[in-house]
Amino acid sequence: MAVIGGGIAGLACALRLAEAGRQVTLIEATEQLGGLGGTCDYDGRTFEKFYHCMLPTDGPLLELLADLGLRDEVYWKPTTFGYASGATIFPLNKALDLLKFAPLGFADRIRVGLTGLQGRRISSEGLDDITAVEWLTKLSGRKAFEVFWKPMLQAKFGDRYEAVPALWFWSRFNREKGDKKGEVKGYIRGGYRRIAEIIGKRITSLGGAVRLRERMVMLDLDRSDRPLVVTSRGEAVYDQVVITTPWQGIDRTLGANLRRALPPLDMNIDYQGVTNCLLFLRRPLSPHYWVATPESTYPFDGVIETSNLTEETERGARHVVYLTKYMHREDPRFREDEDLLSIEWWVALKKLFPDLRDQDLERRQVFRAPFVEPLYTTGYNARRPPEELVAGRVFLSNTAQVYPTVTSWNGSVTQAIKTLERVLVDC
């Protein structure tokens, strides 16, 4: 059988199928495994193009790492969060921090704090049918929503934020707040490339094949209703296929026979993209892992200082910072010249950190990904694609399905498990 896509969902599916004795071929369009966990090299070390971390609540991912013999390679550190308002960074990690949050009046600070408590205790029932705007406004009040919650929603979904279901926000909040350890995040020695490479080697050791730099051209059904996979290297017929690539691109590759065999599907699920500017600095910026910069003053929405999480053995003496902006691939800023963008963002960062100097910068590099997270709308559960597209033949495991779980490596592994339940039943 074939697995299309070498991100973590494809890797997890191919690994488990190979372990179950299936003859698996994993097909990946790029030169790397890992999808959004792809990496770049600098000064003899490997760095993720897009920041990643693990949480104590990421059970399925951590179980996969345990099976790979990597669980003990994950280390954990307390992390903190800051919120930039104007040129001031307010820590927001304890109840006392919220009480000192000057952008909100005292009563609104209390309501935001109570929203956090309610968010952890409330049932998710019915939250798919109302917007996060409605839900958060009801819990926190209009002023607190406009000042505190709205900029965060806009930072993630841009002008589509008003349609996002409350269930998405509830799931995100409970993932990050749902563990007794508190604000703790994890990273793995050797980085995410190590995970992808070990899974790839395990697949081949079990008799599977991993093919890189092979682009999907068409997926169809032959005259015997078996999946026909056409790639940039040729075509082949398989007994079964698992698709793990983003939903937005699948529609372009479907052949006529397969289209006729599909159940009714919403092919209009759109995606939000992201632009990251990766900085290597000679000095730290702040004690925070994440500083939210949701105000329009800044061209980026967050400053993620991963060197507050990673060990020096991973990155060297330098400090690693990601400036991130979620935006649609059709947004003109998504196509902005990389050199101009990196200069503009560096200038804005120096306004937030006035003591930052040009000589503090070792290197900067821009990375973009057009398909990061679906643009959810209310009632998304009804639009969510099924795991089985053609009975016993064509299956799906991608980010369009992880809702309401947060889009992450853990979310993708969780979805892979659900899809494999259908695949292995039909084996």
Side-chain angles (χ1 to χ4, degrees):
M1 70 180 301
V3 175
I4 310 300
I8 186 58
L11 287 167
C13 285
L15 173 63
R16 296 310 190 199
L17 290 166
E19 290 174 337
R22 303 304 306 276
Q23 186 70 38
V24 178
T25 298
L26 177 64
I27 301 171
E28 164 58 32
T30 71
E31 71 283 355
Q32 282 188 5
L33 295 172
L36 288 173
T39 59
C40 62
D41 295 323
Y42 173 60
D43 194 29
R45 299 175 186 273
T46 296
F47 298 89
E48 279 86 33
K49 298 176 182 178
F50 306 95
Y51 60 92
H52 291 275
C53 70
M54 301 174 199
L55 298 181
T57 50
D58 289 349
L61 175 58
L62 294 172
E63 288 175 15
L64 173 62
L65 296 182
D67 292 343
L68 296 170
L70 295 174
R71 181 64 179 82
D72 292 339
E73 297 298 300
V74 177
Y75 55 89
W76 304 92
K77 290 187 180 181
T79 57
T80 58
F81 174 81
Y83 188 108
S85 180
T88 303
I89 298 175
F90 294 90
L92 283 176
N93 303 286
K94 302 176 182 178
L96 186 59
D97 292 337
L98 184 56
L99 292 176
K100 295 178 179 179
F101 188 62
L104 287 174
F106 185 78
D108 289 321
R109 299 173 206 173
I110 297 296
R111 292 195 69 173
V112 168
L114 291 174
T115 297
L117 292 174
Q118 289 175 285
R120 275 179 284 183
R121 296 171 180 171
I122 195 172
S123 166
S124 62
E125 186 175 353
L127 294 184
D128 183 49
D129 298 318
I130 63 171
T131 67
V133 175
E134 296 174 81
W135 187 59
L136 291 170
T137 300
K138 181 179 179 180
L139 292 175
S140 293
R142 173 59 60 183
K143 177 68 180 297
F145 172 78
E146 291 290 334
V147 173
F148 192 77
W149 301 116
K150 179 180 174 180
M152 294 188 185
L153 280 168
Q154 288 179 315
K156 187 74 171 179
F157 294 103
D159 59 3
R160 317 284 185 94
Y161 80 93
E162 291 182 297
V164 176
L167 184 59
W168 176 87
F169 198 94
W170 176 92
S171 178
R172 181 183 178 92
F173 184 84
N174 279 275
R175 176 183 183 239
E176 299 191 2
K177 301 289 185 181
D179 191 90
K180 293 180 180 179
K181 293 181 181 180
E183 293 296 329
V184 174
K185 291 182 173 60
Y187 193 73
I188 185 167
R189 292 181 179 87
Y192 280 64
R193 175 187 282 184
R194 185 181 180 194
I195 301 172
E197 288 180 345
I198 287 178
I199 295 176
K201 290 177 181 178
R202 181 73 65 86
I203 293 168
T204 56
S205 73
L206 292 169
V210 176
R211 301 192 334 216
L212 302 177
R213 301 181 185 88
E214 187 167 352
R215 180 177 53 85
M216 269 288 297
V217 176
M218 185 177 69
L219 177 61
D220 206 353
L221 298 177
D222 70 0
R223 293 181 179 178
S224 300
D225 289 332
R226 293 187 303 166
L228 170 66
V229 177
V230 182
T231 73
S232 53
R233 294 187 187 176
E235 62 181 61
V237 175
Y238 296 90
D239 291 330
Q240 295 175 310
V241 168
V242 180
I243 309 168
T244 69
T245 51
W247 186 248
Q248 190 68 19
I250 292 174
D251 188 38
R252 297 194 299 268
T253 64
L254 295 178
N257 293 336
L258 179 53
R259 284 185 186 277
R260 285 191 289 269
L262 292 175
L265 297 171
D266 186 345
M267 302 304 297
N268 296 313
I269 297 173
D270 202 357
Y271 275 70
Q272 187 79 309
V274 72
T275 296
N276 266 9
C277 184
L278 172 57
L279 306 176
F280 299 106
L281 304 179
R282 296 185 176 92
R283 49 147 289 187
L285 290 179
S286 80
H288 302 299
Y289 173 77
W290 185 297
V291 174
T293 54
E295 297 177 354
S296 58
T297 309
Y298 302 103
F300 42 82
D301 295 322
V303 180
I304 300 90
E305 196 162 350
T306 60
S307 42
N308 287 325
L309 170 62
T310 59
E311 295 180 346
E312 191 170 316
T313 53
E314 303 292 337
R315 53 181 167 80
R318 66 188 51 84
H319 298 269
V320 183
V321 174
Y322 294 81
L323 307 179
T324 187
K325 176 71 176 180
Y326 287 91
M327 62 182 80
H328 196 270
R329 64 193 175 279
E330 294 179 359
D331 188 314
R333 294 170 296 178
F334 193 79
R335 298 184 295 274
E336 185 177 354
D337 179 82
E338 292 183 2
D339 290 335
L340 293 177
L341 180 145
S342 65
I343 292 171
E344 176 191 359
W345 288 21
W346 175 249
V347 170
L349 185 67
K350 289 193 291 183
K351 291 180 180 178
L352 182 59
F353 298 95
D355 57 341
L356 189 61
R357 299 288 180 262
D358 288 341
Q359 55 265 35
D360 295 325
L361 178 65
E362 275 189 24
R363 177 187 173 99
R364 61 190 173 212
Q365 194 165 354
V366 174
F367 298 101
R368 293 183 169 104
F371 307 112
V372 176
E373 184 156 20
L375 288 163
Y376 302 115
T377 59
T378 52
Y380 187 83
N381 273 330
R383 302 176 62 200
R384 180 188 175 280
E387 282 73 29
E388 194 167 33
L389 300 181
V390 177
R393 295 295 189 182
V394 181
F395 303 85
L396 183 70
S397 178
N398 72 3
T399 50
Q401 300 167 293
V402 302
Y403 177 88
T405 302
V406 174
T407 303
S408 64
W409 270 39
N410 183 67
S412 292
V413 172
T414 302
Q415 179 55 49
I417 293 170
K418 294 178 181 178
T419 298
L420 288 170
E421 289 174 354
R422 294 301 315 146
V423 178
L424 293 172
V425 162
D426 290 323
C427 286

